[in-house]
Amino acid sequence: MINATIEPSALCGPPPSAEDVVFREVQAVADFNFGEKVASVFDDMLGRSVPFYQEIQRMIAEMAADFAIDGTNLYDLGCSTGNTLLNLDASVAKGVKFIGIDYSEAMLRHCRQKLAERGLQHDHELICADLNHGVCIQNASMVLMVLTLQFVRPLYRDTLIEAILRGLNENGCLILVEKVLGEDSVFNRLFIKYYYDLKKRHGYTEMEIAKKREALENVLVPYKLLENREMLLRAGFRYVDVFFKWYNFCGIIAVK
Ligand SMILES: C[S@@+](CC[C@H](N)C(=O)[O-])C[C@H]1O[C@@H](n2cnc3c(N)ncnc32)[C@H](O)[C@@H]1O
């Protein structure tokens, strides 16, 4: 039997936005995009779609307290509505500048408003740019890509990772959180089933799940965990380790 109640982990997720009903009434499924329709319900979508989102955020803040250095920049690539930047405000040294980058004007609008409402303390800048075209990273002690590299076209991923590495200071780190494929198709099938079960527990219907899956096809292109690890080592990161894993989701930290 399906347990349709929302789990406590979802309730203590990001601050509530309007309920995500993006795929409830859609008839013809188009490619997923990060326009206003998604941006306005995005925080609800995160809390109900990303396993342990709040714990991942807590871990990132814990690591940022050690890696983000006064007088340097911290980049959040694919900053969306600003949850990660807000989450880091209390734990990161005050002399670190926050730079959020996203290609969705709608996301940045919501982000700007939320940072202002919540009174983000750190000096910060929000930039609208497409990561498929590369990125200019300077004097960075930390770069975050939380569920964003999976949306960058595979053709451009190596170049982007190399640009991030170039812009990081020695001992700086990249935090990568991604949806991943299982290393073997047997696990992949199971992991996807368990993931859809989580979405059902968080109140999504079978139809909503199926429509979103179709919309994300060719838009969200996951690698295997080991493929992500290889890409980071190939670019020249010295140390790479996994700090989070839940079925088809993982968190990786890589140090220059
Ligand atoms: C799943 S969301 C990231 C969630 C966010 N990092 C967080 O933890 O709250 C992915 C974000 O990446 C952005 N994005 C996707 N592809 C992008 C690209 N090529 N260039 C810049 N931003 C991109 C989207 O607009 C969206 O805001």
Side-chain angles (χ1 to χ4, degrees):
M1 198 177 77
I2 296 164
N3 173 9
T5 56
I6 296 177
E7 294 203 332
S9 61
L11 296 174
C12 61
S17 61
E19 189 190 0
D20 169 21
V21 290
V22 172
F23 290 96
R24 202 168 288 175
E25 287 114 17
V26 166
Q27 297 298 329
V29 178
D31 277 356
F32 188 86
N33 72 75
F34 291 98
E36 177 57 32
K37 201 169 171 189
V38 166
S40 62
V41 298
F42 191 67
D43 292 345
D44 181 62
M45 185 182 280
L46 278 175
R48 291 163 67 206
S49 307
V50 181
F52 293 97
Y53 180 74
Q54 202 57 24
E55 174 61 9
I56 293 169
Q57 286 288 346
R58 194 200 62 74
M59 293 171 90
I60 291 173
E62 197 161 62
M63 292 184 278
D66 284 321
F67 278 96
I69 311 280
D70 252 334
T72 69
N73 297 321
L74 180 152
Y75 289 81
D76 185 12
L77 308 183
C79 61
S80 302
T81 59
N83 289 319
T84 306
L85 295 177
L86 283 164
N87 176 52
L88 295 176
D89 206 23
S91 55
V92 167
K94 288 289 171 251
V96 176
K97 181 177 176 183
F98 288 178
I99 301 172
I101 300 182
D102 206 291
Y103 72 171
S104 161
E105 293 277 7
M107 286 291 189
L108 290 178
R109 235 183 351 263
H110 283 266
C111 182
R112 213 167 278 121
Q113 185 181 346
K114 216 159 78 181
L115 300 190
E117 279 169 7
R118 303 264 299 271
L120 184 80
Q121 296 289 306
H122 282 78
D123 182 18
H124 59 278
E125 188 180 346
L126 298 178
I127 299 170
C128 191
D130 186 345
L131 297 167
N132 286 307
H133 302 152
V135 69
C136 178
I137 304 280
Q138 288 175 321
N139 184 28
S141 54
M142 200 162 185
V143 177
L144 310 170
M145 287 194 93
V146 181
L147 300 162
T148 298
L149 188 63
Q150 60 196 19
F151 291 105
V152 172
R153 290 178 58 191
L155 182 65
Y156 301 126
R157 288 190 197 175
D158 279 282
T159 315
L160 179 62
I161 295 295
E162 283 157 17
I164 291 170
L165 183 74
R166 270 198 306 280
L168 274 169
N169 297 338
E170 279 311 301
N171 300 314
C173 80
L174 167 65
I175 300 274
L176 192 59
V177 177
E178 286 280 282
K179 205 169 180 183
V180 289
L181 297 172
E183 296 299 326
D184 184 279
S185 60
V186 175
F187 300 125
N188 200 47
R189 264 194 301 278
L190 283 175
F191 291 178
I192 289 172
K193 178 162 78 82
Y194 302 147
Y195 175 54
Y196 291 158
D197 286 346
L198 172 137
K199 292 187 73 164
K200 284 183 225 160
R201 291 198 299 278
H202 288 187
Y204 289 109
T205 64
E206 301 249 10
M207 186 58 81
E208 283 175 291
I209 293 169
K211 284 180 189 164
K212 187 166 181 190
R213 179 184 194 166
E214 196 183 330
L216 281 171
E217 213 148 326
N218 304 321
V219 177
L220 191 169
V221 183
Y223 283 2
K224 293 175 178 175
L225 190 158
L226 291 182
E227 288 173 335
N228 278 306
R229 182 184 149 80
E230 277 306 312
M231 179 178 52
L232 295 166
L233 291 170
R234 195 166 55 240
F237 280 95
R238 288 190 299 152
Y239 310 108
V240 179
D241 210 339
V242 174
F243 68 88
F244 173 85
K245 180 84 163 77
W246 184 93
Y247 297 131
N248 56 341
F249 284 80
C250 80
I252 298 176
I253 178 166
V255 173
K256 178 166 175 175

